[in-house]
Amino acid sequence: MIKGKGVFVLFILSIFLLCIFGRAQAMERMRPGRCHGQVGETVPRIILPRLDGKFFASSELQGKVVIFDFWATWHPPCRSAIPAFIELYNKYGEEKFEIIGICLDKDMPALKQFAHEIQINYPIAIGSKSIERSFGGIKALPTTLLVDKRGRIRFRFTGYTPKEVFEEKIKFLLRE
């Protein structure tokens, strides 16, 4: 009878420990900044094809303040944000600043036509599901990440964001 109780106690203790350690691991995974693409994380190492036929590597951005803008041509708020990015690129492009538009469109001819018509002056990279996952998942468009000179994501914006908000953050990061 004692042997049966010992096995039962050991069984209950094992389940208890699994629950405690499983919960600790789950809590660790849920900590802020734990997921790639979140504020405080370093930008993932990526290589992306660009609209102009070249390739873009995140390693090229060392020492620059960078906007990564996930967008699509068919999405009105994304389209509305592009003129502000064009202005910001014109204003800060020479000051160790870069914008990378990561387009999630599938229709490349439509993307090329749109980029030409609106005269986008910053590099457009072609996104994919794996790139979206690398940045912690893109759940809404536009999603815009603002990265400091050390390659850390400092701000994450979901949805349309006014130019003034970006400009304030860019100035702050350029002064650091």
Side-chain angles (χ1 to χ4, degrees):
M1 182 89 165
I2 291 175
K3 190 174 187 179
K5 283 184 180 178
V7 170
F8 179 74
V9 168
L10 189 56
F11 175 73
I12 295 298
L13 181 60
S14 297
I15 290 188
F16 176 75
L17 291 173
L18 282 172
C19 288
I20 294 296
F21 287 115
R23 181 178 173 159
Q25 289 173 344
M27 296 294 280
E28 177 69 13
R29 285 191 299 268
M30 292 188 308
R31 264 191 20 220
R34 189 76 180 144
C35 180
H36 292 294
Q38 299 304 315
V39 172
E41 287 287 319
T42 302
V43 170
R45 292 177 190 232
I46 56 170
I47 297 176
L48 294 170
R50 289 179 19 175
L51 188 59
D52 62 7
K54 299 176 185 175
F55 285 87
F56 158 79
S58 56
S59 60
E60 298 171 18
L61 301 172
Q62 294 290 59
K64 291 185 178 185
V65 171
V66 182
I67 286 180
F68 286 98
D69 180 47
F70 289 85
W71 67 287
T73 60
W74 51 264
H75 193 256
C78 293
R79 294 171 70 108
S80 297
I82 290 174
F85 289 135
I86 291 170
E87 288 178 33
L88 290 168
Y89 196 71
N90 281 335
K91 188 170 184 177
Y92 296 101
E94 299 296 318
E95 293 184 46
K96 296 196 176 243
F97 173 71
E98 185 67 76
I99 297 175
I100 306 295
I102 301 178
C103 188
L104 301 177
D105 280 13
K106 303 288 183 241
D107 185 352
M108 287 304 109
L111 171 58
K112 286 181 180 181
Q113 181 180 346
F114 176 78
H116 178 74
E117 284 174 8
I118 201 161
Q119 298 181 345
I120 296 175
N121 58 349
Y122 52 87
I124 301 297
I126 311 304
S128 65
K129 291 292 179 190
S130 66
I131 293 302
E132 289 180 52
R133 283 190 300 274
S134 295
F135 282 92
I138 303 302
K139 306 211 181 345
L141 293 177
T143 292
T144 308
L145 307 174
L146 194 48
V147 177
D148 67 18
K149 295 174 190 174
R150 292 182 283 174
R152 288 179 304 141
I153 298 168
R154 296 288 293 276
F155 304 97
R156 185 178 181 113
F157 303 94
T158 303
Y160 176 82
T161 304
K163 176 183 132 189
E164 296 76 25
V165 173
F166 288 121
E167 190 160 23
E168 174 189 329
K169 305 296 185 197
I170 290 166
K171 286 178 182 178
F172 172 77
L173 293 175
L174 285 171
R175 284 191 304 262
E176 285 190 327

